Amino acid sequence: MLTKKEIFKKAYKELETRRLNRKIKEEENLKKACDICEEIEVLYKQMNLTSIKIARSLISKKSDITKTIENIKNENLWVQKKIKELLIKNNLPSNFLNPKPFCEKCDDYGFVNNERCSCLEKLIKTITSEQLIEQSNLPKLTFENFKLNLYLENGEKTSIFKHMSAVFDECKKFANNFNTNCGGLLMHGLTGLGKTHLSLAIAFKIIERGYTALYETSSQIIRNMLTTNFSLKENKNEDSYISLITKTDLLILDDLGCEFSSQLNKSAIFEIINLRTSLNKPIIINTNYTPEELEKIYGERVISRIFSTLKIISFKGSDNRPKIESQKIKKTYIQI
Ligand SMILES: Nc1ncnc2c1ncn2[C@@H]1O[C@H](COP(=O)(O)OP(=O)(O)OP(=O)(O)O)[C@@H](O)[C@H]1O
Ligand SMILES: [Mg+2]
Ligand SMILES: [Zn+2]
């Protein structure tokens, strides 16, 4: 799991690689051009002497320095023009010796006027999304690949279909209006109804909008909490696990209730929910249990936290997994 700092580091590393690749390409192209046309090599070497010439004139202080520099500059421009002509004459593009950067706005440095360039923003979002895919161990589940027709019953738009259409719209609205203190959701319902799918769809959407998201199942989160020290007061280290789940803009706590039931695990779950809700930071909790069943498992303390801060969304219908499988089989059958 990467911290915000590590995500930035990874993005900068990628920019560095882009710059390095351009340098390599530049050298390869120069070698090619010089092999094809000897004159280019001579002119290129002449151009490279410019800085030495300027330094010499600065040291000698003999003549009018401004005028000398102006002359050198003009000479340099002439050489550049000549090189371009020779490149074209030899059927090479005029910018062959200066390959284009990945991003022309920032020259692959990631900043324009001290502001983050859009290419750096894009890189950060891509790395964050990739991390979410890795954490969930699922393909990229989005609003676009969520199918409402799976909730049709015998092809009919029954109340279940209408209910799930409203759930879909609600989740989209949550993602579009998301901010760092917009509350959270409790998604409950039987297995295979799309809870994980829609919570990840929300996460990918908010990452696109520049936020961060972290996905954990309740068993994973408990394991990680218990292997580190789960008290925030004693664990202020920026890179600590507790700091990570505190700082992320959205925390998805999946499969609540599937963890091994023990007093220690229950108090770890309470810590997490308490931590996020008391800071007013968004959390999405997914569970197969009804709110009443959750109350029996975790007690009133957890439930009152959930009810007072999260919007409850119930998922209805029948398991979509077999429907998806049978659609896949039908597709293969048609293709054969
Ligand atoms: N409406 C849907 N459109 C497309 N794919 C769906 C839909 N519903 C479920 N799926 C797919 O079916 C699989 C199971 O769905 P998902 O994991 O979201 O269910 P769940 O409600 O989280 O189930 P569980 O309670 O067992 O965790 C996933 O691969 C998911 O992408
Ligand atoms: Mg799930
Ligand atoms: Zn850029």
Side-chain angles (χ1 to χ4, degrees):
M1 214 174 328
L2 300 175
T3 61
K4 238 179 192 172
K5 215 158 92 189
E6 285 164 336
I7 290 174
F8 281 128
K9 240 190 198 168
K10 214 171 161 187
Y12 293 141
K13 189 107 204 104
E14 172 59 27
L15 288 177
E16 209 177 287
T17 309
R18 287 177 185 176
R19 294 198 299 270
L20 186 68
N21 286 344
R22 181 150 61 106
K23 190 92 204 116
I24 293 169
K25 182 101 193 125
E26 208 176 289
E27 277 163 18
E28 275 172 11
N29 287 3
L30 176 65
K31 192 173 177 307
K32 257 188 225 163
C34 294
D35 285 348
I36 293 171
C37 173
E38 219 174 288
E39 222 181 327
I40 291 178
E41 188 172 6
V42 176
L43 287 168
Y44 194 83
K45 280 184 181 158
Q46 190 180 332
M47 198 167 66
N48 276 350
L49 289 175
T50 309
S51 50
I52 300 174
K53 281 186 204 163
I54 291 175
R56 268 192 200 141
S57 74
L58 284 173
I59 295 164
S60 75
K61 290 179 187 163
K62 265 186 216 155
S63 51
D64 176 354
I65 290 171
T66 329
K67 194 149 185 251
T68 315
I69 292 177
E70 189 62 31
N71 286 344
I72 296 169
K73 245 192 197 165
N74 287 337
E75 188 192 325
N76 206 6
L77 284 174
W78 180 85
V79 174
Q80 278 179 30
K81 191 168 157 253
K82 201 82 198 131
I83 291 178
K84 275 189 183 164
E85 280 168 12
L86 285 168
L87 286 169
I88 293 165
K89 204 169 142 191
N90 286 283
N91 297 322
L92 292 169
S94 64
N95 65 348
F96 194 61
L97 301 184
N98 308 93
K100 269 191 181 174
F102 210 87
C103 173
E104 287 185 86
K105 278 195 275 181
C106 69
D107 219 17
D108 295 337
Y109 279 89
F111 287 87
V112 186
N113 301 330
N114 280 333
E115 299 248 336
R116 266 194 229 160
C117 181
S118 55
C119 71
L120 176 57
E121 293 284 1
K122 197 169 165 207
L123 261 175
I124 290 168
K125 287 173 195 174
T126 308
I127 297 167
T128 317
S129 290
E130 280 169 1
Q131 209 201 350
L132 199 62
I133 291 170
E134 206 177 295
Q135 279 165 1
S136 65
N137 206 11
L138 289 165
K140 192 169 177 183
L141 302 175
T142 61
F143 288 118
E144 287 71 29
N145 56 32
F146 187 82
K147 296 188 196 116
L148 274 173
N149 63 15
L150 288 173
Y151 303 95
L152 291 171
E153 288 174 290
N154 302 320
E156 299 279 322
K157 290 185 177 176
T158 58
S159 60
I160 288 181
F161 175 86
K162 286 178 190 152
H163 175 84
M164 289 310 294
S165 301
V167 165
F168 179 72
D169 291 344
E170 185 78 46
C171 291
K172 259 185 150 175
K173 206 167 94 191
F174 181 82
N176 289 330
N177 297 334
F178 182 88
N179 61 56
T180 50
N181 55 4
C182 67
L185 307 172
L186 172 82
M187 299 183 175
H188 75 94
L190 300 178
T191 188
L193 293 184
K195 300 182 292 298
T196 301
H197 191 130
L198 279 183
S199 44
L200 284 169
I202 291 173
F204 285 117
K205 187 78 199 169
I206 66 150
I207 288 172
E208 231 174 74
R209 295 187 49 219
Y211 294 104
T212 55
L214 199 73
Y215 170 95
E216 294 277 37
T217 64
S218 65
S219 316
Q220 274 167 351
I221 213 167
I222 289 171
R223 202 176 317 126
N224 291 336
M225 294 260 295
L226 298 180
T227 49
T228 61
N229 179 354
F230 73 75
S231 161
L232 182 63
K233 282 171 234 111
E234 292 162 38
N235 219 331
K236 286 241 163 75
N237 174 5
E238 224 188 282
D239 296 334
S240 71
Y241 181 69
I242 197 84
S243 161
L244 218 63
I245 60 166
T246 311
K247 282 197 181 143
T248 186
D249 296 327
L250 171 67
L251 175 70
I252 299 174
L253 176 58
D254 206 4
D255 298 331
L256 180 69
C258 288
E259 73 281 354
F260 175 71
S261 175
S262 74
Q263 208 43 52
L264 188 62
N265 286 0
K266 281 177 200 168
S267 47
I269 290 291
F270 175 75
E271 276 304 319
I272 297 152
I273 296 174
N274 190 36
L275 189 71
R276 295 288 304 185
T277 53
S278 61
L279 292 170
N280 212 11
K281 297 203 88 175
I283 180 169
I284 296 179
I285 302 177
N286 297 329
T287 183
N288 291 137
Y289 293 99
T290 61
E292 296 75 35
E293 287 166 332
L294 285 179
E295 181 164 7
K296 272 194 201 136
I297 304 172
Y298 298 100
E300 206 258 326
R301 223 164 44 131
V302 172
I303 288 309
S304 66
R305 276 267 160 219
I306 290 179
F307 272 105
S308 58
T309 45
L310 309 184
K311 190 172 172 117
I312 317 287
I313 298 187
S314 56
F315 278 59
K316 293 184 179 166
S318 56
D319 191 353
N320 285 335
R321 287 189 181 99
K323 297 179 212 165
I324 294 166
E325 279 314 305
S326 76
Q327 278 183 358
K328 268 190 213 155
I329 294 166
K330 255 192 219 159
K331 230 185 202 169
T332 326
Y333 184 68
I334 291 166
Q335 273 170 2
I336 289 166

